[in-house]
Amino acid sequence: MMSQQNDGRDRIHKIKLGVAVVLFIVAGALAARSLLQDSPADYANDRGFKCSECGHDYAYVIRSGDFEPLECPKCHQRSAYQAEMCFWTKGPDGQYVAKTEPTLVLLKSRIDPTSDEPTYCPDCGHEVVGHNPRPSEALMLEASGREGRD
Ligand SMILES: [Zn+2]
Ligand SMILES: [Zn+2]
């Protein structure tokens, strides 16, 4: 009689221990996953900047307190602005096709907010606008295939 009760208590104790271990593993896995998920979010903050004086372009993470124009890391003038990305290029037949390495383009209206002059990509001549739309997924896939990145 007594020993049966002890067995039952032991079993409950083991189950509780098992649950605690499982919870510990789940918590660890969740923590690891959230750490892994943090890195792509950080890359999303990495913007393309371009210097209006020397044309240098670079990736930069905006920090609080930053205001444009930023100091250019190359010529050290305060003339770097966030750039738009042009994912277009001209194909052999003169048609616009996508490319995977964007050209960074400074919008005229970014440097001079009163300007309503359109900006054209110096590489391909495509008009570039704020939050410049990217080519479709299909065109980007075609581009990476053509560039041998697949
Ligand atoms: Zn510069
Ligand atoms: Zn372009």
Side-chain angles (χ1 to χ4, degrees):
M1 207 49 192
M2 277 300 282
S3 89
Q4 264 184 347
Q5 275 183 348
N6 279 341
D7 280 359
R9 219 178 295 155
D10 269 348
R11 198 158 53 216
I12 288 166
H13 183 71
K14 274 180 189 153
I15 290 170
K16 277 186 179 165
L17 198 68
V19 167
V21 167
V22 168
L23 284 179
F24 186 74
I25 292 170
V26 167
L30 284 177
R33 202 175 63 168
S34 73
L35 274 179
L36 286 175
Q37 280 173 343
D38 276 346
S39 16
D42 284 345
Y43 287 125
N45 292 327
D46 218 28
R47 310 269 171 83
F49 277 78
K50 193 177 179 79
C51 174
S52 64
E53 289 299 322
C54 72
H56 177 59
D57 50 40
Y58 59 103
Y60 179 73
V61 180
I62 300 172
R63 302 192 189 94
S64 64
D66 277 347
F67 60 93
E68 290 189 345
L70 299 175
E71 186 182 319
C72 167
K74 196 173 178 194
C75 70
H76 300 290
Q77 302 190 62
R78 282 199 79 95
S79 49
Y81 299 83
Q82 192 178 325
E84 293 296 330
M85 295 180 192
C86 177
F87 284 88
W88 296 102
T89 187
K90 278 243 173 86
D93 53 359
Q95 293 286 329
Y96 283 115
V97 289
K99 64 178 176 182
T100 57
E101 287 284 326
T103 299
L104 269 66
V105 185
L106 273 188
L107 289 183
K108 291 191 174 116
S109 58
R110 188 90 191 177
I111 303 166
D112 175 11
T114 62
S115 166
D116 53 8
E117 233 184 300
T119 304
Y120 298 97
C121 173
D123 177 56
C124 69
H126 205 282
E127 186 175 353
V128 178
V129 294
H131 304 286
N132 201 40
R134 294 184 177 202
S136 68
E137 200 67 30
L139 281 172
M140 291 304 283
L141 277 175
E142 183 274 324
S144 57
R146 177 168 25 86
E147 293 170 9
R149 287 170 191 274
D150 53 350

Short mmCIF file of all heavy atoms in Angstrom, two decimals, residues 97-122:
data_model
loop_
_atom_site.label_atom_id
_atom_site.label_comp_id
_atom_site.label_asym_id
_atom_site.label_seq_id
_atom_site.Cartn_x
_atom_site.Cartn_y
_atom_site.Cartn_z
N VAL A 97 15.03 45.91 -69.17
CA VAL A 97 14.97 44.62 -68.49
C VAL A 97 15.47 44.83 -67.06
O VAL A 97 16.12 45.84 -66.77
CB VAL A 97 15.81 43.52 -69.20
CG1 VAL A 97 15.17 43.11 -70.51
CG2 VAL A 97 17.24 43.99 -69.43
N ALA A 98 15.16 43.88 -66.19
CA ALA A 98 15.54 44.02 -64.79
C ALA A 98 17.00 43.66 -64.60
O ALA A 98 17.62 42.98 -65.43
CB ALA A 98 14.66 43.11 -63.93
N LYS A 99 17.59 44.15 -63.51
CA LYS A 99 18.92 43.70 -63.10
C LYS A 99 18.88 43.54 -61.58
O LYS A 99 18.04 44.13 -60.90
CB LYS A 99 20.00 44.69 -63.53
CG LYS A 99 19.89 46.06 -62.87
CD LYS A 99 21.03 46.96 -63.32
CE LYS A 99 20.86 48.37 -62.75
NZ LYS A 99 21.91 49.28 -63.20
N THR A 100 19.78 42.71 -61.06
CA THR A 100 19.72 42.39 -59.63
C THR A 100 20.56 43.34 -58.78
O THR A 100 20.32 43.48 -57.60
CB THR A 100 20.17 40.94 -59.37
OG1 THR A 100 21.48 40.78 -59.88
CG2 THR A 100 19.24 39.95 -60.04
N GLU A 101 21.58 43.97 -59.39
CA GLU A 101 22.41 44.94 -58.66
C GLU A 101 21.91 46.33 -59.00
O GLU A 101 22.13 46.81 -60.10
CB GLU A 101 23.88 44.81 -59.07
CG GLU A 101 24.56 43.57 -58.54
CD GLU A 101 24.92 43.68 -57.06
OE1 GLU A 101 25.24 44.80 -56.62
OE2 GLU A 101 24.84 42.67 -56.36
N PRO A 102 21.22 46.99 -58.06
CA PRO A 102 20.61 48.28 -58.42
C PRO A 102 21.64 49.39 -58.61
O PRO A 102 22.73 49.36 -58.04
CB PRO A 102 19.72 48.58 -57.22
CG PRO A 102 20.39 47.89 -56.08
CD PRO A 102 21.00 46.64 -56.65
N THR A 103 21.25 50.38 -59.42
CA THR A 103 22.00 51.63 -59.50
C THR A 103 21.38 52.59 -58.50
O THR A 103 20.16 52.74 -58.45
CB THR A 103 21.90 52.22 -60.92
OG1 THR A 103 22.46 51.28 -61.84
CG2 THR A 103 22.66 53.54 -61.02
N LEU A 104 22.21 53.22 -57.66
CA LEU A 104 21.68 54.18 -56.69
C LEU A 104 21.53 55.54 -57.35
O LEU A 104 22.47 56.03 -57.99
CB LEU A 104 22.60 54.26 -55.46
CG LEU A 104 22.24 53.28 -54.34
CD1 LEU A 104 22.45 51.85 -54.78
CD2 LEU A 104 23.02 53.57 -53.09
N VAL A 105 20.36 56.09 -57.21
CA VAL A 105 20.04 57.35 -57.90
C VAL A 105 19.55 58.37 -56.87
O VAL A 105 18.70 58.05 -56.04
CB VAL A 105 18.95 57.13 -58.98
CG1 VAL A 105 18.72 58.42 -59.75
CG2 VAL A 105 19.33 56.00 -59.91
N LEU A 106 20.09 59.57 -56.94
CA LEU A 106 19.64 60.66 -56.07
C LEU A 106 18.49 61.39 -56.75
O LEU A 106 18.64 61.89 -57.85
CB LEU A 106 20.78 61.65 -55.83
CG LEU A 106 21.73 61.36 -54.69
CD1 LEU A 106 22.66 62.54 -54.50
CD2 LEU A 106 20.97 61.09 -53.41
N LEU A 107 17.37 61.46 -56.07
CA LEU A 107 16.25 62.22 -56.61
C LEU A 107 16.54 63.71 -56.50
O LEU A 107 17.03 64.18 -55.47
CB LEU A 107 14.97 61.92 -55.82
CG LEU A 107 14.33 60.55 -56.00
CD1 LEU A 107 13.04 60.49 -55.19
CD2 LEU A 107 14.04 60.27 -57.46
N LYS A 108 16.22 64.45 -57.57
CA LYS A 108 16.40 65.90 -57.52
C LYS A 108 15.56 66.50 -56.38
O LYS A 108 16.00 67.41 -55.69
CB LYS A 108 16.00 66.52 -58.85
CG LYS A 108 16.98 66.15 -59.96
CD LYS A 108 16.75 66.96 -61.21
CE LYS A 108 17.83 66.69 -62.24
NZ LYS A 108 17.31 66.08 -63.47
N SER A 109 14.37 65.94 -56.19
CA SER A 109 13.49 66.49 -55.15
C SER A 109 13.97 66.13 -53.74
O SER A 109 13.52 66.70 -52.76
CB SER A 109 12.07 65.96 -55.35
OG SER A 109 12.07 64.55 -55.32
N ARG A 110 14.91 65.16 -53.66
CA ARG A 110 15.47 64.80 -52.35
C ARG A 110 16.48 65.88 -51.92
O ARG A 110 16.57 66.21 -50.75
CB ARG A 110 16.17 63.44 -52.47
CG ARG A 110 16.63 62.85 -51.16
CD ARG A 110 15.55 62.00 -50.56
NE ARG A 110 15.86 61.63 -49.18
CZ ARG A 110 15.05 60.92 -48.41
NH1 ARG A 110 13.89 60.53 -48.87
NH2 ARG A 110 15.37 60.62 -47.17
N ILE A 111 17.22 66.37 -52.88
CA ILE A 111 18.23 67.39 -52.59
C ILE A 111 17.57 68.75 -52.46
O ILE A 111 17.90 69.53 -51.57
CB ILE A 111 19.30 67.41 -53.72
CG1 ILE A 111 19.92 66.02 -53.86
CG2 ILE A 111 20.36 68.46 -53.46
CD1 ILE A 111 20.72 65.82 -55.13
N ASP A 112 16.58 69.01 -53.33
CA ASP A 112 15.87 70.28 -53.31
C ASP A 112 14.37 69.98 -53.26
O ASP A 112 13.75 69.71 -54.29
CB ASP A 112 16.23 71.09 -54.57
CG ASP A 112 15.40 72.36 -54.65
OD1 ASP A 112 14.73 72.71 -53.66
OD2 ASP A 112 15.44 73.01 -55.71
N PRO A 113 13.78 70.01 -52.05
CA PRO A 113 12.37 69.62 -51.90
C PRO A 113 11.42 70.47 -52.74
O PRO A 113 10.28 70.07 -52.98
CB PRO A 113 12.09 69.82 -50.42
CG PRO A 113 13.43 69.80 -49.77
CD PRO A 113 14.39 70.37 -50.76
N THR A 114 11.86 71.65 -53.18
CA THR A 114 10.96 72.50 -53.98
C THR A 114 11.00 72.10 -55.46
O THR A 114 10.19 72.57 -56.25
CB THR A 114 11.36 73.98 -53.87
OG1 THR A 114 12.69 74.14 -54.37
CG2 THR A 114 11.32 74.45 -52.42
N SER A 115 11.95 71.25 -55.83
CA SER A 115 12.09 70.86 -57.23
C SER A 115 11.03 69.82 -57.61
O SER A 115 10.82 68.85 -56.88
CB SER A 115 13.49 70.28 -57.48
OG SER A 115 13.52 69.62 -58.73
N ASP A 116 10.37 70.03 -58.73
CA ASP A 116 9.47 68.99 -59.22
C ASP A 116 9.99 68.42 -60.54
O ASP A 116 9.27 67.84 -61.33
CB ASP A 116 8.02 69.48 -59.35
CG ASP A 116 7.92 70.76 -60.19
OD1 ASP A 116 8.96 71.15 -60.78
OD2 ASP A 116 6.83 71.36 -60.25
N GLU A 117 11.30 68.63 -60.75
CA GLU A 117 11.96 68.10 -61.94
C GLU A 117 12.05 66.58 -61.83
O GLU A 117 12.43 66.06 -60.79
CB GLU A 117 13.39 68.65 -61.99
CG GLU A 117 13.76 69.34 -63.29
CD GLU A 117 15.22 69.74 -63.26
OE1 GLU A 117 15.59 70.54 -62.36
OE2 GLU A 117 15.98 69.23 -64.08
N PRO A 118 11.71 65.88 -62.90
CA PRO A 118 11.85 64.42 -62.84
C PRO A 118 13.33 64.01 -62.81
O PRO A 118 14.20 64.75 -63.27
CB PRO A 118 11.18 63.93 -64.12
CG PRO A 118 11.21 65.10 -65.05
CD PRO A 118 11.18 66.34 -64.21
N THR A 119 13.60 62.86 -62.22
CA THR A 119 14.96 62.33 -62.15
C THR A 119 15.04 61.08 -63.02
O THR A 119 14.16 60.23 -62.96
CB THR A 119 15.33 61.98 -60.70
OG1 THR A 119 15.14 63.13 -59.89
CG2 THR A 119 16.77 61.49 -60.58
N TYR A 120 16.08 61.01 -63.83
CA TYR A 120 16.26 59.84 -64.68
C TYR A 120 17.53 59.12 -64.25
O TYR A 120 18.53 59.74 -63.89
CB TYR A 120 16.34 60.25 -66.16
CG TYR A 120 15.07 60.90 -66.63
CD1 TYR A 120 14.96 62.28 -66.68
CD2 TYR A 120 13.97 60.12 -66.98
CE1 TYR A 120 13.78 62.90 -67.09
CE2 TYR A 120 12.79 60.72 -67.39
CZ TYR A 120 12.69 62.10 -67.44
OH TYR A 120 11.51 62.69 -67.83
N CYS A 121 17.47 57.79 -64.30
CA CYS A 121 18.62 56.99 -63.92
C CYS A 121 19.79 57.27 -64.87
O CYS A 121 19.62 57.19 -66.09
CB CYS A 121 18.25 55.51 -63.96
SG CYS A 121 19.64 54.42 -63.71
N PRO A 122 20.97 57.62 -64.33
CA PRO A 122 22.11 57.91 -65.21
C PRO A 122 22.60 56.66 -65.95
O PRO A 122 23.29 56.76 -66.96
CB PRO A 122 23.19 58.43 -64.25
CG PRO A 122 22.80 57.91 -62.91
CD PRO A 122 21.29 57.76 -62.91
#
